């Protein structure tokens, strides 16, 4: 069965303390892996798309990487405003227009 | 550009009542989606529409119906609400694979 899991479920960091979030997937025929940020009470906001193993994307303090089984979202020197839930999702060849989302990692960055 | 808009923002229903959630996008996207988000379960696809005039079931379609009114609008209807439909509902649109989400509707069924 296709699955998307994320770890850890929650993460607390001190401001400036770098870390990584993990998204593991078991799908065949990956079309793309997507990272979103979700603030409380709001809809997910698109961050990155990764299409193939070895690909990397960067935006400010965030860097997303992709292997054949997992993706990492690296957060370098985080600030309190990076606090949010980070979601990953996958789209695969046999999904049609369907996306499968992971449960998310809730990140808190303390000043 | 407003992006994706949803109405209402909050709604309380009694079991058995019906309602329609409205969604509109101004990005000229072909594809539109309805998701529900429950604690610990992530976003789950209810229905999607790949283009105007077409709709398809997602992972959890039971108890819901949809209408793609035109390219801009995609509505979700609950014919007879049940407590299990208490959730936050998100509409999204996309041109390729990057989805843009609305602010959500928080629905409580008592």
């Amino acid at each position: 069965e296709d699955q998307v899991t994320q770890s850890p479920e929650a993460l607390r960091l001190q401001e400036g303390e770098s870390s990584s979030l993990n998204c593991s997937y078991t799908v065949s025929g990956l079309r793309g892996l997507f990272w979103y940020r979700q603030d409380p009470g709001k809809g997910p906001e698109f961050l990155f798309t990764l299409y193939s193993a070895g690909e990397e994307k960067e935006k400010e303090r965030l860097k997303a990487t992709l292997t054949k089984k997992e993706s990492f979202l690296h957060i370098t020197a985080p600030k309190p405003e990076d606090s949010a839930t980070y979601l990953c999702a996958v789209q695969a060849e046999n999904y049609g227009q369907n996306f499968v989302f992971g449960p998310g990692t809730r990140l808190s960055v303390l000043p | 550009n407003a992006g994706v808009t949803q109405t209402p923002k909050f709604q309380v229903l009694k079991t058995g009542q019906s309602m329609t959630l409205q969604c509109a996008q101004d990005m000229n996207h072909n594809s539109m989606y309805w998701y529900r988000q429950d604690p610990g379960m992530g976003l789950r696809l209810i229905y999607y529409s790949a283009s105007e005039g077409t709709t398809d079931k997602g992972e959890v379609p039971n108890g819901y119906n949809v209408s793609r009114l035109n390219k801009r609008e995609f509505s979700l209807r609950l014919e007879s609400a049940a407590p299990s439909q208490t959730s936050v509902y998100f509409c999204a649109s996309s041109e390729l694979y990057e989805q843009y989400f609305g602010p959500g509707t928080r629905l409580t069924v008592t």
Side-chain angles (χ1 to χ4, degrees):
Chain A
E1 180 186 339
D2 293 345
Q3 242 187 341
V4 180
T5 59
Q6 291 186 247
S7 62
E9 184 175 327
L11 181 63
R12 296 180 72 175
L13 299 174
Q14 290 295 133
E15 185 172 2
E17 180 187 1
S18 301
S19 188
S20 298
L21 313 182
N22 176 266
C23 171
S24 295
Y25 61 93
T26 54
V27 301
S28 52
L30 182 76
R31 278 184 179 159
L33 185 139
F34 310 88
W35 282 98
Y36 292 84
R37 169 193 171 122
Q38 186 173 23
D39 293 302
K42 296 190 176 181
E45 175 188 347
F46 171 77
L47 292 174
F48 302 111
T49 305
L50 301 165
Y51 291 108
S52 57
E55 190 174 359
E56 298 181 352
K57 294 272 180 74
E58 281 188 74
K59 180 180 179 180
E60 295 179 358
R61 295 175 292 283
L62 301 177
K63 179 179 175 180
T65 61
L66 181 66
T67 71
K68 288 189 176 179
K69 293 184 178 180
E70 57 192 350
S71 176
F72 291 93
L73 185 65
H74 307 278
I75 304 176
T76 302
K79 298 182 178 181
E81 53 262 42
D82 294 321
S83 297
T85 296
Y86 291 86
L87 306 171
C88 72
V90 299
Q91 224 277 339
E93 288 175 354
N94 61 340
Y95 284 5
Q97 289 284 324
N98 199 2
F99 292 75
V100 177
F101 278 80
T105 292
R106 192 169 61 254
L107 175 66
S108 300
V109 182
L110 307 176
Chain B
N1 282 354
V4 179
T5 57
Q6 292 183 236
T7 56
K9 285 186 166 46
F10 300 94
Q11 184 72 48
V12 178
L13 292 178
K14 293 185 177 178
T15 297
Q17 287 185 318
S18 62
M19 77 162 295
T20 300
L21 282 63
Q22 307 285 354
C23 173
Q25 52 96 5
D26 62 3
M27 295 173 282
N28 203 36
H29 288 165
N30 280 309
S31 300
M32 297 186 74
Y33 310 79
W34 276 106
Y35 289 91
R36 60 178 288 172
Q37 187 173 39
D38 302 293
M41 299 196 71
L43 285 155
R44 292 182 292 168
L45 184 66
I46 305 171
Y47 270 93
Y48 64 93
S49 170
S51 61
E52 186 179 350
T54 68
T55 60
D56 286 287
K57 294 178 180 179
E59 182 185 352
V60 288
N62 291 346
Y64 306 95
N65 286 300
V66 290
S67 295
R68 183 74 182 266
L69 305 170
N70 48 54
K71 192 171 186 179
R72 290 187 63 248
E73 298 172 290
F74 189 36
S75 63
L76 178 72
R77 182 161 178 84
L78 287 70
E79 291 291 352
S80 178
S84 60
Q85 295 178 306
T86 293
S87 188
V88 181
Y89 291 85
F90 289 101
C91 176
S93 71
S94 72
E95 190 53 39
L96 292 175
Y97 299 129
E98 297 167 7
Q99 295 185 308
Y100 294 87
F101 286 81
T105 294
R106 188 173 295 274
L107 175 67
T108 302
V109 183
T110 60

